[in-house]
Amino acid sequence: MGRAVLRRSVQMVITLWLVSILGFVIIQLPPGDFLTLLESQLEEQRLSSAQIESALTGLRARYGLDQPVYVQYLRWMSSLLRGDLGYSMALRADVNELLSERLVLTLVISFAAMVFSLALALPIGVYSAMKQYSWADYLFTVLGFLGLALPNMLLALILIFLAVTVFNASTIGGLFSPEYITADWSPAKVLDLAKHLWLPAFIVGFSSTAGTIRVVRAQMLDTLGEPFIQTARMKGLSENRVITRHALRVALNPVVSGLGLSLPGLISGETITALVLGLPTIGPLLLNALFAEDMYLAGSILVILSGALVVGNFLADLTLAWLDPRIRLVEP
Amino acid sequence: MEHSRVHNTNNNGRGGQPRLVLEVEDLYVSFGGYRGRTRAVNGVSFQIHQGEILGIVGESGCGKSVTALSLLKLVPMPPGRIDGGTISLHTDDTTVDVTALAQDSREIRAIRGRQISMIFQEPMRSLHPMFSIGDQIVEILLQHFAMNRRQALDKAVALLERVGLPEPARVVHEFPHQLSGGMRQRVMIAIALACEPQLLVADEPTTALDVTIQAQILELLQALQAEMGLAVMLITHDMGVVAEIADRVIVMYLGEIVETASVDQLFTNPQHPYTQGLLRSIPNWTDQPKTPLHSLAGAVPELLDLPAGCVFVERCPFADKVPGLRKPSLIETEPGHFVKCWLYTEEFVHARP
């Protein structure tokens, strides 16, 4: 077990390193760089070409853009290893500073969405399987497919519309009440966050809820047909115990491995929702960074997202090994 | 030799007769489907006594497994439904009609695993893949007996030893995927017999195992049966297995009992044309090489489309000589030997070959 964890950790580091190279190269692919954009902006301000040229040369040297690509990568990488994500040229701020609060909020929303999604999907999935082809099963199936088909941001728009027209909400969207947005963190601010959290969590988690219901239902149906369920009933166990202890336990495996893959999906899935709802999370920041060819910011976010994917997968595998002895005992 | 076993086990019934454990009377079970109801079991009646091994033979779809599952009320409902009949389980002080109990009721759950246990066809899949062997035995013990986990685990080790597993103290901590098929079936038997039930239903317990292991499992069942004075209902399609360990045999076809007799009677004097065909289709090692294998003519009709009279009429070589469109009743042709066939009525005795 310990060796497996160690081996996986080494694999994770290598994967992340490869991703950082790939991410860096992809950001370099579009013609021009951040300064090309800046140049056109300066031109609009009617500066002389000599002034522009000197300003650009200075910036180019400062950001290291006059160096070959691999040198740029190595400089970024070495600072990354020291925990410094670099400097955002477009926003003129340290990437660390830009990301720290947004990263936390993004994780909070993703986690809340995941909890919400599981809390809803597990019972519904199990119920649908046990009452297969009942009217409730059909209802949840229809809702489930609606949830899968409906883009999150459309759901966000509909809910905002309803909130404003039907419930006369004065503020909708955002993660904080206006008075707390710039305030320092305090218990009151956390409470305010909790009050605002349910809507984005619901919206972000909605489509994955629908997907998870389908998975849980199908898995439960498969498992309930297994002979070991018959054995459990033969022992005289109550149907509740047969379902929760014997069937659900086996049915959960693909749900757990799905969760490991869902973290980056939740983060990227919330991008458009975050734009619609005005949430201060990572998604919109990445979008702008990509538009502005702000390579250190974009590269850092890509590495962090991949990190979330790799770590999520790793956690899912550990959980599976903990749940299922068949996986635990396999030594390659 | 089978009969001696019946007699020297418990005689706490009337007049030296082994005690009656289970009595099935006129059982009807059907399943709903898109194309109508399928009648799986049609008017089956039989009894099982303490210390007796009752073999039930018949091909796939003849209703033998559904009959077995009905005893524990384990037929999935819906789509399954018990349309009629009673299943009376006699315990020391009471008699319960299993058909009248709700599927998840406390009463039926007190019977499952405690009075009647069951082992299944596929030992590879009938143990839970994620629980240790010990946990799976402990679970049934704690369900029915007041004991703590420690005591239950000790009992589990003892049970594993009793079913002949080597190193029971180690196996108890292992998981099903670490055991072979034969070992898993032994574990299933340990689970089934953990609470010392009166009746063990074994649904094709050796079908998925290879031949040497089959023999071992049958020997084990036989030994435990004698030791515990257990009643066993052994479902199989293997006439060899029946000949080896059963005391009495029921032959089923399309949800009905077509013949029932002691093992000796059935093998020396098979009466129903279906039984005769079954026995003739067993390959004989003394046959000349290239002798064609005997097979029954025709195929099993669909359960949705049952013949109105005798169930075997479509495949019976004597069908043109008897009123096959009317249903024959079960006739006793010699003591303890019953057959459901027109050929054994006085009226049609001349039609017999």
Side-chain angles (χ1 to χ4, degrees), chain A residues 77-91:
Chain A
M77 200 63 227
S78 69
S79 66
L80 206 63
L81 288 178
R82 277 178 274 114
D84 177 7
L85 297 174
Y87 186 78
S88 162
M89 297 171 288
L91 300 172

Side-chain angles (χ1 to χ4, degrees), chain A residues 162-183:
Chain A
L162 285 180
V164 174
T165 55
V166 181
F167 299 106
N168 289 321
S170 52
T171 59
I172 184 82
L175 277 179
F176 301 102
S177 308
E179 61 269 31
Y180 286 109
I181 289 178
T182 51

Side-chain angles (χ1 to χ4, degrees), chain B residues 188-307:
Chain B
M188 260 319 282
I189 293 172
I191 292 174
L193 299 184
C195 298
E196 296 174 16
Q198 298 193 69
L199 172 65
L200 175 70
V201 180
D203 189 356
E204 310 220 16
T206 58
T207 306
L209 304 172
D210 66 59
V211 183
T212 45
I213 307 297
Q214 280 188 16
Q216 289 177 14
I217 295 292
L218 289 178
E219 265 169 45
L220 174 68
L221 277 178
Q222 219 169 355
L224 289 170
Q225 183 267 347
E227 203 177 307
M228 301 172 69
L230 197 67
V232 176
M233 176 169 156
L234 178 76
I235 295 167
T236 179
H237 54 252
D238 187 338
M239 280 294 192
V241 168
V242 169
E244 202 166 325
I245 74 168
D247 300 311
R248 269 194 315 126
V249 193
I250 287 174
V251 181
M252 284 185 73
Y253 187 79
L254 284 184
E256 290 184 21
I257 294 178
V258 293
E259 185 164 1
T260 169
S262 74
V263 166
D264 295 345
Q265 288 169 333
L266 192 89
F267 282 87
T268 52
N269 182 19
Q271 295 183 331
H272 199 280
Y274 176 61
T275 317
Q276 290 168 351
L278 276 185
L279 289 175
R280 259 206 302 278
S281 60
I282 300 172
N284 193 336
W285 64 274
T286 56
D287 284 347
Q288 286 298 310
K290 314 247 165 140
T291 309
L293 292 172
H294 181 271
S295 63
L296 284 162
V300 183
E302 273 218 63
L303 285 170
L304 276 168
D305 189 22
L306 288 180

Side-chain angles (χ1 to χ4, degrees), chain B residues 18-339:
Chain B
R19 200 169 61 80
L20 183 64
V21 171
L22 187 91
E23 197 169 10
V24 175
E25 266 178 298
D26 215 18
L27 182 69
Y28 286 83
V29 184
S30 66
F31 291 87
Y34 290 115
R35 295 193 294 144
R37 289 202 82 80
T38 305
R39 294 187 288 140
V41 177
N42 292 308
V44 163
S45 306
F46 61 91
Q47 299 180 336
I48 304 180
H49 295 86
Q50 185 168 35
E52 174 184 47
I53 299 186
L54 173 68
I56 298 194
V57 290
E59 49 203 292
S60 311
C62 74
K64 54 193 196 299
S65 289
V66 175
T67 305
L69 288 173
S70 303
L71 304 187
L72 284 169
K73 203 100 193 220
L74 280 178
V75 175
M77 298 181 189
R81 190 173 76 196
I82 292 182
D83 295 318
T86 56
I87 299 171
S88 309
L89 174 72
H90 301 284
T91 53
D92 290 330
D93 41 0
T94 53
T95 297
V96 189
D97 179 10
V98 171
T99 59
L101 302 178
Q103 258 195 319
D104 194 30
S105 66
R106 199 173 290 276
E107 292 83 3
I108 188 70
R109 291 200 284 111
I111 291 173
R112 290 181 191 153
R114 180 69 187 88
Q115 303 291 342
I116 308 176
S117 270
M118 190 161 175
I119 59 177
F120 304 98
Q121 189 168 358
E122 292 179 274
M124 311 306 276
R125 292 168 66 206
S126 39
L127 294 172
H128 197 287
M130 295 188 188
F131 297 130
S132 72
I133 302 303
D135 281 346
Q136 307 199 34
I137 304 177
V138 163
E139 189 173 39
I140 190 170
L141 287 167
L142 295 184
Q143 179 70 30
H144 296 291
F145 293 143
M147 51 167 74
N148 63 36
R149 235 195 96 79
R150 184 68 249 167
Q151 295 166 320
L153 203 62
D154 289 343
K155 179 105 196 270
V157 175
L159 280 161
L160 289 177
E161 181 149 28
R162 203 164 169 194
V163 296
L165 279 168
E167 295 186 71
R170 186 174 56 82
V171 173
V172 83
H173 296 296
E174 295 201 320
F175 290 90
H177 66 273
Q178 294 167 286
L179 307 181
S180 70
M183 288 165 89
R184 290 188 216 188
Q185 196 61 298
R186 285 175 192 268
V187 171
M188 260 319 282
I189 293 172
I191 292 174
L193 299 184
C195 298
E196 296 174 16
Q198 298 193 69
L199 172 65
L200 175 70
V201 180
D203 189 356
E204 310 220 16
T206 58
T207 306
L209 304 172
D210 66 59
V211 183
T212 45
I213 307 297
Q214 280 188 16
Q216 289 177 14
I217 295 292
L218 289 178
E219 265 169 45
L220 174 68
L221 277 178
Q222 219 169 355
L224 289 170
Q225 183 267 347
E227 203 177 307
M228 301 172 69
L230 197 67
V232 176
M233 176 169 156
L234 178 76
I235 295 167
T236 179
H237 54 252
D238 187 338
M239 280 294 192
V241 168
V242 169
E244 202 166 325
I245 74 168
D247 300 311
R248 269 194 315 126
V249 193
I250 287 174
V251 181
M252 284 185 73
Y253 187 79
L254 284 184
E256 290 184 21
I257 294 178
V258 293
E259 185 164 1
T260 169
S262 74
V263 166
D264 295 345
Q265 288 169 333
L266 192 89
F267 282 87
T268 52
N269 182 19
Q271 295 183 331
H272 199 280
Y274 176 61
T275 317
Q276 290 168 351
L278 276 185
L279 289 175
R280 259 206 302 278
S281 60
I282 300 172
N284 193 336
W285 64 274
T286 56
D287 284 347
Q288 286 298 310
K290 314 247 165 140
T291 309
L293 292 172
H294 181 271
S295 63
L296 284 162
V300 183
E302 273 218 63
L303 285 170
L304 276 168
D305 189 22
L306 288 180
C310 169
V311 278
F312 196 59
V313 66
E314 290 174 17
R315 306 174 71 184
C316 183
F318 312 105
D320 52 344
K321 297 175 183 149
V322 295
L325 292 179
R326 280 192 286 135
K327 206 178 256 309
S329 49
L330 217 50
I331 305 154
E332 187 164 19
T333 54
E334 53 181 319
H337 193 161
F338 296 83
V339 62

Side-chain angles (χ1 to χ4, degrees), chain A residues 71-103:
Chain A
V71 176
Q72 292 181 31
Y73 171 76
L74 287 178
R75 280 176 57 167
W76 177 59
M77 200 63 227
S78 69
S79 66
L80 206 63
L81 288 178
R82 277 178 274 114
D84 177 7
L85 297 174
Y87 186 78
S88 162
M89 297 171 288
L91 300 172
R92 292 168 200 254
D94 279 331
V95 173
N96 289 32
E97 220 164 276
L98 285 170
L99 284 186
S100 58
E101 189 169 286
R102 281 170 178 261
L103 191 63

